[in-house]
Amino acid sequence: MANTLLDPHYEEIFEQAASLSSVTRGLEPFAQLTTLHLGGTPLSSFRCFSQQAAVEVIKLFDAHQIPLLVVGGGSNLVVADGEVPLAAVILDFDGIDIDAPSARLRAEAGAVWDEVVATAVAAGLGGIECLSGIPGSAGATPVQNVGAYGCEIADVLVEVTLYDRQHGRIVKAAASELDLAYRYSNLKFTQRAVVLDITLQLHSDGLSAPLRFGELARTLGAEPEQRLPIADVREAVLGLRRGKGMVYQESDHDTWSAGSFFTNPIVSSAQASEVRSKVAAKLGEEAAEAMPAFEVAGGIKLSAAWLIDKAGFHKGYPGPQAPVRLSTKHTLALSNRGNANTADLVALAREIRGGVAEVFGVTLEPEPVWVGVSI
Ligand SMILES: Cc1cc2nc3c(=O)[nH]c(=O)nc-3n(C[C@H](O)[C@H](O)[C@H](O)COP(=O)(O)OP(=O)(O)OC[C@H]3O[C@@H](n4cnc5c(N)ncnc54)[C@H](O)[C@@H]3O)c2cc1C
């Protein structure tokens, strides 16, 4: 496919990049690179099969001010339709090493995250079993501090190797330097650095992290905070996630998504009371009492899924004929039914965000990274 945006000057640089060792050049559309299966075509795409190759390609493009997007598994990306004026740099190096005496695991950025979890579990190392089934790459896990079922990568992350794009050098950064917070790090939305590998501190007693998520503990017949064999916890998490369409599967359009599309809003306690009053006015006192609200650092965390549902957007909304719908298994996932484009997704995202703001006065923030398009 010819790309009409390609500057002749870029072509020279792209050829230089393609001639580097462990790099292949292609023209892979974002519809193939993302789990939403949406998005147009980059200027060119570059698969990098080693850390060194990725660093050299990115350094070259930065030196020539060629816009680029680092792509892992494409499971947290919303990309514009049509021609996308940047180079896609796909990280395809995927080594996983375990140092048994220290129970440390190092994974290269392109390793498939769930394979990292499976490898740890097979080696009897606990700490990440609750993060089973999250799509995408190991290198992206610190970017938004991935989390699920009461655990997040911040619990086990020791350090990352970064390619610092501002200073053009490879550095080690401790987890504490990344400002990891709920679905956030100082790497997200900034493109300031590329994660080349991650090091995790796991534990070797064969038991899981303490079970902090009620639904998971109940599924396993365990008490909260109990620790169970890691393989059992992994299986339970995968089962729960499959039931919610939260394990990506090519054959299931409910999973052609970016996972949770909106983050859970964190509001002040005064705002939380206002929302509760609005719920009471619309749905009655019982619903207001039942509204999920948890004290966290920085305020009160509300449930985006609950607010969306109570604002009238139920699973499967707006119906079977729509190109983009809420997943039929989870209110918080916007899913491509097979022939959508990004404009369809954005339209539904705006409708839902607007509806929740109108009914409850809460503005939901999208969780994925948006490229060339905004909500
Ligand atoms: C079905 C489904 C379920 C999901 N469930 C969860 C969940 O339970 N919890 C959760 O937290 N998330 C979840 N997600 C979101 C997503 O899987 C995670 O955010 C994941 O870590 C994204 O990884 P990726 O490799 O696909 O990143 P991409 O989508 O490829 O990239 C996302 C962003 O990170 C940047 N990036 C990627 N790799 C690197 C790198 N090595 N260095 C620097 N920047 C990089 C990209 O440039 C982009 O800005 C889910 C998604 C889906 C589709």
Side-chain angles (χ1 to χ4, degrees), residues 35 70 72-77 91 135-137 140 144 146-147 195 241 257-259 369:
T35 51
V70 170
S75 62
N76 213 27
L77 278 175
L91 306 185
S137 62
Q144 73 152 5
V146 296
V195 178
R241 292 186 68 98
S257 76
V369 171

Side-chain angles (χ1 to χ4, degrees), residues 35 69-77 91 109 134-137 139-141 143-148 183 193-195 241 245-248 255 257-260 367 369:
T35 51
L69 177 71
V70 170
V71 181
S75 62
N76 213 27
L77 278 175
L91 306 185
I134 298 180
S137 62
T141 56
V143 173
Q144 73 152 5
N145 184 23
V146 296
R183 292 307 83 80
V194 180
V195 178
R241 292 186 68 98
M246 283 291 170
V247 176
Y248 174 77
T255 73
S257 76
S260 300
E367 184 178 303
V369 171

Side-chain angles (χ1 to χ4, degrees), residues 299-341:
I300 309 284
K301 194 195 263 189
L302 306 179
S303 160
W306 194 89
L307 293 171
I308 291 170
D309 185 65
K310 298 301 176 207
F313 305 105
H314 307 304
K315 287 175 190 162
Y317 180 88
Q321 305 311 324
V324 173
R325 309 171 68 182
L326 292 183
S327 157
T328 66
K329 303 186 184 82
H330 200 304
T331 324
L332 204 45
L334 273 67
S335 60
N336 171 5
R337 310 315 292 186
N339 56 1
N341 55 40

Side-chain angles (χ1 to χ4, degrees), residues 333-353:
L334 273 67
S335 60
N336 171 5
R337 310 315 292 186
N339 56 1
N341 55 40
T342 302
D344 299 320
L345 177 88
V346 175
L348 183 62
R350 285 183 183 151
E351 183 187 348
I352 289 171
R353 192 193 212 208

Side-chain angles (χ1 to χ4, degrees), residues 149-171:
Y149 293 95
C151 290
E152 52 187 22
I153 199 73
D155 299 338
V156 290
L157 187 70
V158 177
E159 66 174 17
V160 292
T161 307
L162 294 177
Y163 173 62
D164 173 349
R165 292 177 63 189
Q166 277 158 356
H167 301 98
R169 59 179 189 206
I170 295 173
V171 292

